[in-house]
Amino acid sequence: TRTRPSVRRRAERSVTFAAAAMRFKLPGRLLEFSRKGVSYQKYDNVEMGQMDGGGGAPSEKAKQKNEAKKESFWKAHRDELNELFPYLWPKDEPFIQLCFVLSGVFLICSKFSNVLSPIALKTAIDAVDDHRYSVSAIVAYGALRFGGNFFSELKDNAFAYVSTYASRKISLK
């Protein structure tokens, strides 16, 4: 009988993988999987050589290693922020401090405008659907859409002073 070429290629690949596993002397469990032709995709969260029969659950060592990575990740960012904060909030530059605070305020205003604009649109559509045309709802929607972009631009311009000052001081360091 003739087999389809794709089936034949797949069978050749599995035989090739099993032969490679024997040649490279993989750990016992992996060698067993290679003989059976089991896919490794469900075991990608487990480190090599730490597989147990638990169906791909990470071992205790892997969990501890991941926890250590998470702690060190946040510690590194906290250290970086502590290192950069004097450049973002210089004690002798009140204008830079003002720009930093204003950029935060503009960020919050921009987010509120972007969150409230779909609600205003819903109100305007509901008013039109009830045959009572609310001009104030349409104007509020337009103002919120404009406000979202306006506050975003103000935030970018205010923080431009802060970032320019910080990059200049860091480069002169």
Side-chain angles (χ1 to χ4, degrees), residues 41-111:
Q41 291 175 354
K42 65 180 180 178
Y43 295 100
D44 61 351
N45 62 340
V46 181
E47 294 180 20
M48 194 77 107
Q50 297 197 8
M51 298 176 92
D52 53 2
S59 65
E60 289 301 318
K61 281 185 180 179
K63 286 180 184 177
Q64 290 172 354
K65 190 173 180 182
N66 287 339
E67 289 297 322
K69 282 182 185 177
K70 287 180 186 175
E71 290 172 11
S72 63
F73 174 80
W74 289 112
K75 184 177 184 270
H77 284 288
R78 185 181 64 221
D79 293 343
E80 289 172 1
L81 185 60
N82 287 338
E83 187 178 328
L84 288 177
F85 189 72
Y87 299 107
L88 297 175
W89 190 267
K91 292 180 180 174
D92 57 343
E93 296 285 338
F95 179 70
I96 300 299
Q97 292 176 348
L98 176 68
C99 287
F100 187 77
V101 170
L102 284 177
S103 67
V105 169
F106 292 146
L107 173 70
I108 292 169
C109 291
S110 171
K111 294 300 177 185

Side-chain angles (χ1 to χ4, degrees), residues 100-151:
F100 187 77
V101 170
L102 284 177
S103 67
V105 169
F106 292 146
L107 173 70
I108 292 169
C109 291
S110 171
K111 294 300 177 185
F112 276 134
S113 295
N114 286 332
V115 167
L116 292 177
S117 65
I119 296 170
L121 178 63
K122 177 201 173 291
T123 305
I125 290 173
D126 288 346
V128 169
D129 196 33
D130 292 341
H131 300 292
R132 48 181 183 86
Y133 301 101
S134 175
V135 175
S136 61
I138 295 171
V139 169
Y141 170 69
L144 286 170
R145 284 295 302 259
F146 177 77
N149 292 333
F150 180 70
F151 287 124

Side-chain angles (χ1 to χ4, degrees), residues 29-47:
R29 189 77 170 167
L30 293 176
L31 186 60
E32 177 185 331
F33 285 148
S34 68
R35 286 185 187 137
K36 291 180 180 177
V38 174
S39 170
Y40 293 101
Q41 291 175 354
K42 65 180 180 178
Y43 295 100
D44 61 351
N45 62 340
V46 181
E47 294 180 20

